Amino acid sequence: MPPPIPFNRPPITGRELSFLKEAIERRELSGDGHFTKQCEAWIGERLKSGRALLTHSCTGALEMAAILADLAPGDEVIMPSFTFVSTANAVVLRGAVPVFVDIRPDTLNLDERLVEAAMTPRTKAIFVVHYGGVCAEMDVFSDIAARHRLLLVEDAAQALLATYRGRLAGTLGDVACFSFHASKNIVSGEGGALVTDRDDLAERAAVIREKGTDRARFLLGLVDKYTWTDLGSSYVPSELVAAFLYAQLEDADAITAERRAIWQHYHEAFADIEARDIGVRRPIVPAHCGHNGHLYYLLLPDRDRRDAMISSLRAQGITAPFHYVPLHSSDAGRRFSRAVGMLAHTDDVSDRLIRLPMWAGMRDEIERVVAVIHDLIR
Ligand SMILES: *Cc1c(COP(=O)(O)O)cnc(C)c1O
């Protein structure tokens, strides 16, 4: 049998070790040294956004966003149920309630048309997820957020360098949270960033990130000692993580282009299956969205056939997992959150979706995945 094909294989650009060595030689091991500043400058310049703050994870950045939203116990945050647990946990940790709204059947993103009906006087924020690096309908969300004075947070964990009407993900709301986890496009093992172009939020985020102290201002020489001034925790990543990340960011465009090419290869290869009208569909990317090749999935006719496909692929050494167990039907989701309506698309997609292997560096593996799937669907 040919070698196994993993679902994900983090890219290595070749400069990681030398940057790590440089960080070690600088004796900068804790956070906010040379490489953290380089990474934050890179993200800030690419996004042309006020401020980027490196964090130890997107989970951490989402927790910071939930603190910035000033959530009190019982407050509500609208979000999709079709997302990773961290989107919801950040809110629950503040004693607030995730309010799950269904996704659009085309992009699998939070359905902007259902959001206003789900609002109550306790609604404080909307946490939008750009699933698979395809942006949600941000113009509509911005308008809703402005009219109801809600904080608009982008969970852009999967969306670095994705675009919406020509603007980059991470610049479309009040606060954005990115992930550099090993499963994402650009990686540092564990890692993340919070981005905002609002000065008030940037200033407060710097305090939250430094254990609730004004240490960031102290390091800039703006105060002569630092003290506890706000809520906070330890969200600063080590310089070793930042050194690794900077080597990746320098190649972010090339890595993204390669992933987009693999995505396109899959997309063309499965066009005939979709055309046969047997209930298999490919991802839908609206014309005004530029995806970043984060994820290629297929929707199969039903759960049985999806599960059978996962097992058959596994038997041939190909790992192709599904996504997600909807949060509203999980144990913690039932305890801590509220669902609006039936979430029919969320349940349906979660039953039928299969994710295909996708990593920069795939070569012959692409054609093998395509061939095996054609064989299985025949
Ligand atoms: C990966 C992911 C996260 C969590 O990112 P970490 O950096 O692992 O904390 C949050 N939200 C979404 C949508 C993700 O895909």
Side-chain angles (χ1 to χ4, degrees):
M1 196 163 85
I5 303 179
F7 171 63
N8 173 53
R9 192 164 179 270
I12 299 297
T13 69
R15 277 183 309 282
E16 287 85 353
L17 266 181
S18 72
F19 285 179
L20 277 166
K21 185 163 174 285
E22 190 183 331
I24 291 165
E25 283 165 1
R26 286 171 177 273
R27 290 290 191 279
E28 290 184 348
L29 301 180
S30 61
D32 284 337
H34 170 75
F35 284 104
T36 302
K37 293 196 178 75
Q38 296 282 93
C39 291
E40 290 179 346
W42 189 97
I43 299 167
E45 277 160 29
R46 278 313 292 270
L47 269 54
K48 295 187 184 63
S49 194
R51 204 56 205 283
L53 295 169
L54 231 51
T55 60
H56 58 60
S57 63
C58 182
T59 300
L62 287 161
E63 289 176 22
M64 290 173 60
I67 296 173
L68 289 170
D70 268 330
L71 302 177
D75 283 347
E76 298 181 349
V77 175
I78 291 173
M79 66 175 69
S81 169
F82 190 68
T83 181
F84 189 63
V85 291
S86 295
T87 325
N89 255 327
V91 166
V92 174
L93 282 167
R94 306 253 48 82
V97 182
V99 173
F100 296 127
V101 168
D102 208 1
I103 51 173
R104 293 175 59 107
D106 52 2
T107 58
L108 318 188
N109 284 324
L110 184 63
D111 192 334
E112 67 282 358
R113 297 160 297 194
L114 305 177
V115 162
E116 284 189 278
M119 285 174 35
T120 75
R122 301 297 311 255
T123 306
K124 290 287 152 56
I126 306 174
F127 279 31
V128 168
V129 178
H130 304 310
Y131 182 69
V134 176
C135 287
E137 265 320 315
M138 293 307 288
D139 279 352
V140 180
F141 285 116
S142 293
D143 176 59
I144 295 172
R147 276 191 285 110
H148 299 275
R149 296 174 184 279
L150 308 177
L151 192 75
L152 181 57
V153 175
E154 297 177 75
D155 180 340
Q158 306 176 9
L160 186 72
L161 301 183
T163 59
Y164 173 81
R165 301 192 191 282
R167 293 157 358 212
L168 282 163
T171 65
L172 308 167
D174 295 303
V175 180
C177 304
F178 287 99
S179 175
F180 303 113
H181 183 264
S183 60
K184 303 301 199 279
N185 289 16
I186 305 303
V187 310
S188 55
E190 304 281 348
L194 180 139
V195 173
T196 181
D197 61 359
R198 273 181 52 182
D199 290 342
D200 58 328
L201 295 179
E203 204 166 302
R204 190 163 178 224
V207 170
I208 294 165
R209 177 175 173 269
E210 267 290 10
K211 298 93 184 166
T213 71
D214 54 359
R215 184 161 182 274
R217 287 169 59 78
F218 169 74
L219 293 176
L220 291 171
L222 298 173
V223 286
D224 60 6
K225 60 183 179 349
Y226 71 89
T227 59
W228 187 17
T229 61
D230 199 346
L231 279 179
S233 188
S234 182
Y235 294 115
V236 180
S238 148
E239 268 291 287
L240 298 178
V241 168
F244 193 102
L245 179 61
Y246 193 56
Q248 296 258 321
L249 288 174
E250 282 195 325
D251 275 4
D253 290 300
I255 291 168
T256 305
E258 199 179 332
R259 295 184 72 112
R260 285 176 57 101
I262 298 166
W263 194 103
Q264 195 56 33
H265 190 124
Y266 277 142
H267 205 57
E268 285 162 22
F270 297 125
D272 60 330
I273 293 180
E274 189 179 73
R276 269 155 55 197
D277 240 2
I278 48 172
V280 178
R281 95 147 168 83
R282 302 176 298 162
I284 295 171
V285 182
H288 57 278
C289 294
H291 72 80
N292 65 353
H294 176 62
L295 166 61
Y296 198 88
Y297 65 81
L298 290 174
L299 291 178
L300 295 190
D302 53 46
R303 183 179 195 141
D304 286 349
R305 272 174 276 195
R306 191 274 309 273
D307 292 349
M309 169 80 76
I310 291 177
S311 320
S312 305
L313 287 171
R314 192 186 307 123
Q316 307 221 32
I318 299 171
T319 307
F322 67 88
H323 233 190
Y324 295 99
V325 175
L327 297 182
H328 71 277
S329 54
S330 64
D331 278 350
R334 263 182 265 157
R335 249 184 298 153
F336 298 127
S337 61
R338 177 160 74 73
V340 177
M342 295 301 293
L343 306 193
H345 296 305
T346 300
D347 285 330
D348 177 55
V349 161
S350 144
D351 280 348
R352 294 166 50 214
L353 189 137
I354 179 170
R355 296 183 288 158
L356 304 188
M358 165 68 83
W359 30 275
M362 278 184 97
R363 298 283 179 270
D364 302 345
E365 293 91 347
I366 311 170
E367 266 315 308
R368 214 178 107 217
V369 173
V370 167
V372 171
I373 289 179
H374 270 100
D375 225 42
L376 290 169
I377 289 183
R378 184 165 302 127

